Amino acid sequence: MKIKVKLFEGGKMPQVNDNGDLFDVFSREEVSLRAPQAGVLKQVNNKKLRDVEFSNALIPLGFAMEIPKGFKANLYPRSSTYKKWGIIFGNHVGQVDSSFRGNNDEWLVSAIALKATEIHAGDKIAQFEIVPSSKATIWQKMKWLFSNKIEFIQVESLENADRGGFGTSGTR
């Protein structure tokens, strides 16, 4: 299966993880996140309640991708992501469907910091897999079973309409 990929400035192509079956992806930008901040934010029934505010960021991964119809990507944190940076993903597993294929539909990671951290451009922070979606036809699933080698092809433009960016499913 050949999949078109458009890189943004500073972006890197997804890479096959030599020690596993997933594709590694990298931060495109420097990101600073601060440690959680505790404070009194509200009062209920004459009691002061302490709440915690977590620093968060959308970390650009540097590419847009034309996933074939009938397939989707599952975007996961790497097993070392929390250990190295103290972040968790806001949606735990990102679901990227085949409609998120516009020229400006850059993949992002929704990161929540549980400690102060610095993520540098080029840091390997996530991984993904391409799998058949619930809308895949029996023929797409059969083809997938017998030939699941994926090849990424870098292109200048995906020539598809933008869906509107990260977090836009269900907004149309």
Side-chain angles (χ1 to χ4, degrees):
M1 177 185 313
K2 294 183 180 184
I3 298 178
K4 294 178 185 176
V5 177
K6 177 206 168 189
L7 294 181
F8 292 86
E9 186 175 333
K12 293 171 75 173
M13 288 291 280
Q15 294 179 353
V16 175
N17 182 330
D18 292 333
N19 297 321
D21 298 319
L22 302 176
F23 300 99
D24 290 326
V25 292
F26 310 85
S27 174
R28 179 170 69 91
E29 295 179 351
E30 305 286 322
V31 177
S32 269
L33 295 163
R34 66 184 194 285
Q37 305 294 309
V40 176
L41 298 181
K42 57 186 172 183
Q43 191 165 341
V44 177
N45 297 331
N46 294 325
K47 290 185 180 180
K48 291 182 180 179
L49 300 179
R50 186 168 300 276
D51 204 348
V52 177
E53 178 184 317
F54 292 88
S55 184
N56 61 74
L58 292 175
I59 302 172
L61 298 179
F63 64 89
M65 184 180 293
E66 188 177 280
I67 298 172
K69 292 187 186 318
F71 292 86
K72 66 174 183 151
N74 295 324
L75 181 66
Y76 308 104
R78 297 179 68 241
S79 59
S80 62
T81 298
Y82 179 77
K83 180 181 173 184
K84 286 183 180 178
W85 297 287
I87 62 171
I88 59 174
F89 288 7
N91 53 356
H92 306 293
V93 175
Q95 299 287 312
V96 183
D97 66 32
S98 63
S99 72
F100 195 71
R101 58 186 15 224
N103 209 42
N104 296 303
D105 287 336
E106 182 174 9
W107 287 29
L108 305 166
V109 164
S110 172
I112 299 171
L114 300 181
K115 66 180 185 179
T117 192
E118 298 284 327
I119 298 168
H120 303 287
D123 283 347
K124 191 185 311 182
I125 61 168
Q127 56 193 352
F128 72 92
E129 64 182 342
I130 304 282
V131 296
S133 73
S134 59
K135 291 185 177 182
T137 66
I138 189 70
W139 303 115
Q140 287 171 316
K141 291 176 183 176
M142 298 254 315
K143 182 179 177 183
W144 177 252
L145 284 173
F146 293 110
S147 174
N148 64 356
K149 183 178 184 321
I150 293 173
E151 180 183 353
F152 296 116
I153 309 296
Q154 185 174 344
V155 296
E156 291 296 316
S157 174
L158 293 177
E159 301 175 3
N160 299 306
D162 294 337
R163 194 174 79 187
F166 187 82
T168 58
S169 62
T171 59
R172 290 198 222 191

